[in-house]
Structures are given as C-alpha cells and as structure tokens.
Amino acid sequence: MAQNSFWPAESLPSVDISTPNAARIYDYLLGGSHNFAVDRETAERAMAAGQVTSLPARLNRSFLRRAVRFMLDQGIDQFLDLGSGIPTVGNVHEIAQAANPAARIVYVDNEPVAVAHARQILADNPNAVAINADLRDVDAVLGAAGAQRLLDFTRPVGVLLVSVLHFIPEDDRPGELIRRYLADAAAGSYLAVSHYTEDGYTTAKRELAERGKAAYQRTGTLPVARGRTDLARLLAGLDLVPPGIVWTPEWRPDGGDPELAAAADAEIYGAVARVTR
C-alpha cells in the first residue's frame, strides 16, 4: 500500500504521530498516502490477523461515489460532508464538480491531517472548503464562515455521513444529530449514510472483530456496530430511497465493485434518504 509522501511529520506539530488515527488508517486501507508509520503498522497487524481487510473501505468509497451521483441526478448542487476524513481519490468535490462545476462542497472533520490536506488541495477551488470542527458541535459546523458562504439551506442540500456514525456512541445521540442537521434543510434534500455492522457475522468472524477492535482502541475512536434495525431508527422520519438499507455494494450497483461471495462481506450498510415536509 501507499506510503506517506505528502508531509514530513515535523510540518504538522499538532499531530501525535505516535498514536494511530482512524481517519489515517482508513486512508491507508484505501491506498492513500496521508498516513504515518503507526497507522500503517496498526492496519497491517489487523489485516495479517484476518481481523480487517481493505475491501469494506473500498466498497464504502464506491457507495459514496454512487450516492453523490444519485443526488446530482436529483438536482442537488451543494453538499455537506460530515466526518469527511482525509480526501483521497474520489472526493465529493471531484465527483460533484465533474458533473457540475458550480457545485459547492463543505467538508467537515476534526482530524488535523484531513483538514490540512483538504485545505491545500482546495486552495484554488472557491466552491469547496474544509472546516476544522467536530460534527457533534452542530452550531459550530453550520455557523462556520465556510458553511455560511457556500450552503443555502433554503434550497435542497446533500448531507453525507459516510462511515462516520459508527464512531458516534449512543451517549452522543446520533439520531438527534441527524435531525439537527436536517432541521432547516429544504424539502428535497438528501442524506447519505453508511455504517459498520456485525449483522451477518459468523461466530468466528465476531471473535476476530472483537480482537480487531483492540487496534482501534488506541485511536480513541472505537467503532460501534449497529444493525439494520438500529440504522432504521436513526433514519426515522425520512423517506428511504429504494432499495433502502442494504449492504453497500447492493445500493444501486453500477458494475464497478468486485463480486463478493456474500454481500455481508461488505460489513457496512448504506442508505440514502430524502427529506420531506
């Protein structure tokens, strides 16, 4: 996989490069180069033990691409990407602005590497911005200058919570966060969600997953598995776009994903829902 070739560690004084980070591990699994040795070593140990593979990450990225294109087809031209992570190949702005150069994108993350890289690649892009904020602080996100400048909630907006809600524990009320972000969204807005699950796990796979979580324990962002029923509860009140809550490669496939022995191997559910008033 790719090695970090973008910044020397000393250029990011606020980053703890001795502790693995979930966003940088995900970047590594996608073949990105914005990660450090500790992230690569953590991922490699988990993969060698059979606890983690890069397949769910790649399938999740493909789901993001299809969800954004679906929203574009519905006339959405502004996007709020919450917990966007490190912008690697196939970013929201690349997908959206290839179809509509005027599309506006606001990325939100609280990981210094993700925000620093996003700001650098967006330096000459007036219609995209990266905000350094915790998505759980809704007022800070929506009140940020970049969000105020680029997003108009009187018109439909596409809100993305892709592979991030499983890092939001129940104590932080993920369902309430969703409702707050969509509270002022115009009818016809959309929400795309993908979420790690252990539905479909065999006993052996569940045991491997429990051991694999130990690697993420060091990141301070331990994932919370939720089932289809849990995800449906979080999306209550929204109009699910067919085919509903399904494994990521089953959501409106376009032939671009590898064939799976079982759809549950994706380990992540995907769904898109429409805001109705």
Side-chain angles (χ1 to χ4, degrees):
M1 289 193 176
Q3 302 291 303
N4 178 355
S5 59
F6 201 77
W7 294 291
E10 59 270 18
S11 70
L12 293 169
S14 64
V15 176
D16 178 4
I17 64 170
S18 66
T19 302
N21 175 271
R24 300 195 305 260
I25 290 173
Y26 184 67
D27 173 70
Y28 180 62
L29 292 174
L30 286 171
S33 60
H34 309 290
N35 47 74
F36 298 109
V38 67
D39 308 305
R40 298 189 288 273
E41 291 164 4
T42 300
E44 289 293 343
R45 282 199 304 272
M47 287 191 288
Q51 298 158 351
V52 172
T53 74
S54 64
L55 180 63
R58 290 186 285 115
L59 293 174
N60 183 67
R61 196 70 175 185
S62 184
F63 164 76
L64 170 66
R65 170 178 52 78
R66 297 195 304 277
V68 170
R69 287 180 177 172
F70 169 80
M71 292 183 190
L72 287 163
D73 289 343
Q74 311 313 306
I76 300 296
D77 62 1
Q78 51 179 349
F79 297 86
L80 175 61
D81 189 355
L82 297 163
S84 54
I86 295 173
T88 188
V89 176
N91 300 321
V92 174
H93 74 277
E94 292 176 334
I95 300 165
Q97 292 178 347
N100 178 1
R104 298 184 172 197
I105 298 89
V106 173
Y107 292 110
V108 179
D109 208 282
N110 64 348
E111 210 288 317
V113 171
V115 175
H117 176 45
R119 286 176 173 170
Q120 184 163 31
I121 65 174
L122 299 174
D124 297 322
N125 190 331
N127 287 335
V129 68
I131 296 172
N132 186 3
D134 189 320
L135 69 87
R136 291 170 294 187
D137 190 343
V138 180
D139 292 337
V141 171
L142 297 182
Q148 291 284 309
R149 178 173 65 86
L150 292 180
L151 299 178
D152 177 4
F153 275 80
T154 67
R155 298 191 302 107
V157 61
V159 179
L160 307 170
L161 281 163
V162 175
S163 200
V164 68
L165 278 179
H166 47 246
F167 293 119
I168 306 295
E170 287 302 310
D171 287 349
D172 286 330
R173 301 180 180 179
E176 183 177 322
L177 287 174
I178 290 173
R179 288 188 288 274
R180 289 188 64 195
Y181 276 111
L182 298 180
D184 295 326
S189 295
Y190 286 88
L191 170 71
V193 170
S194 65
H195 199 295
Y196 164 66
T197 183
E198 294 178 1
D199 287 0
Y201 271 18
T202 63
T203 299
K205 177 62 178 175
R206 196 176 301 277
E207 290 173 353
L208 280 174
E210 287 302 313
R211 292 200 293 271
K213 287 177 183 178
Y216 276 90
Q217 189 76 52
R218 290 184 60 202
T219 71
T221 50
L222 192 65
V224 178
R226 292 186 175 96
R228 181 182 272 110
T229 301
D230 299 318
L231 196 50
R233 172 178 52 82
L234 295 180
L235 299 177
L238 299 173
D239 185 14
L240 281 173
V241 172
I245 301 169
V246 294
W247 302 108
T248 48
E250 293 180 330
W251 198 88
R252 302 195 172 215
D254 59 8
D257 290 333
E259 292 187 12
L260 302 179
D265 290 342
E267 300 183 15
I268 296 176
Y269 283 133
V272 174
R274 187 174 185 270
V275 175
T276 57
R277 300 294 186 207

